[in-house]
Amino acid sequence: CSSDLAGGIRNGSYDIGLACGVESMTLREVGNPGNVSSRMMDNEKARDCIIPMGITSENVAERFGVTRERQDAFAFSSQQRAARAQRTGKFKAEIVPVTTTVTDDKGATRTITVTQDEGIRPSTTLEGLAKLRPAFKENGSTTAGNSSQVSDGAAAVLMAKRKKAVQMGLPIIGVLRSFAVVGVPPDIMGIGPAYAIPAALKKAGLTVDDVDVYEINEAFSSQAVYCIEKLGIPEDKVNPNGGAVALGHPLGCTGARQVVTLLNELQRRGKRAYGVVSMCIGTGMGAAAVFEYPGN
């Protein structure tokens, strides 16, 4: 969403706009790829586009040697970081409370206000993760514990030309410096960030080492670990407040949510800095964007 919006702002179609995304993963029908043409089955690459995402994770783990132990360790770190961030109030500035009515299994309704992410599990242990069974393949390494969890969410980012933002008295907390989308084999779609990030950095005239914080989506620990190691990114620079393993991955929401989390983290640090947002995309793509925080 934000890339299309930024493009429109750059070409003069408009001066300001909202990039919004929403997803309800809990309403998703597992195993149903949607209304797809039967002709897809006539082409190998097209068929690969509807491989279950969990199998693409297993493919990455097998082809690139990402062990179960490494995946579990990464997932454990994500949960711990997210729990610490939530406990210290880091997410409060980026979450808008939502009041809604819920109905339980017995038909009783009640009104609740959601003020924080519900999926973070502070009690997660490596021992507990090791006990989980493979979720997608017999003798596989991808489990419910080292994958992004099923969750619902929405996020929005306000973008504008600098002149318009100043005119309206809006705070400038980040500048979009570059954006890139790449294609990768659909059956290992999770490797997308490993190729999208270098493309975006090249456009911005930066190197991997120039970036202070990376928000790389944790669709699965297997692919996140591969991308981090492939690019040689220090792990303390990646998802310092946890990622999708702990926070969830509502597909349409993820990109905007990552931008919000990134810019808030850079703002807390106070100094001029660069940050990168990146995610893999089902059917074989990767996307990345480079942001600059101008400093306090």
Side-chain angles (χ1 to χ4, degrees), residues 3 25 44 68 72 102 110 115 128 132 160 175 197 221 224 226 248:
S3 62
M25 299 295 285
E44 181 183 356
R68 166 71 183 269
D72 284 352
V102 297
R110 60 190 176 96
T115 60
L132 296 175
V175 182
I197 290 173
S221 292
Y226 169 78

Side-chain angles (χ1 to χ4, degrees), residues 12-51:
S13 297
Y14 31 79
D15 293 335
I16 187 170
L18 275 169
C20 310
V22 63
E23 196 81 55
S24 178
M25 299 295 285
T26 57
L27 295 179
R28 179 177 64 98
E29 186 178 342
V30 178
N32 181 7
N35 185 20
V36 298
S37 170
S38 59
R39 293 176 62 189
M40 285 189 68
M41 307 310 293
D42 298 334
N43 182 283
E44 181 183 356
K45 293 300 182 185
R47 288 199 301 272
D48 285 349
C49 289
I50 57 174
I51 290 175

Side-chain angles (χ1 to χ4, degrees), residues 70 82 88 97 99 125 141 151 171 197 209 217 258 272:
R70 184 71 182 88
T88 57
T99 299
T125 64
S141 60
S151 57
I197 290 173
D209 293 336
N217 188 45
Q258 287 180 288
R272 181 187 176 192

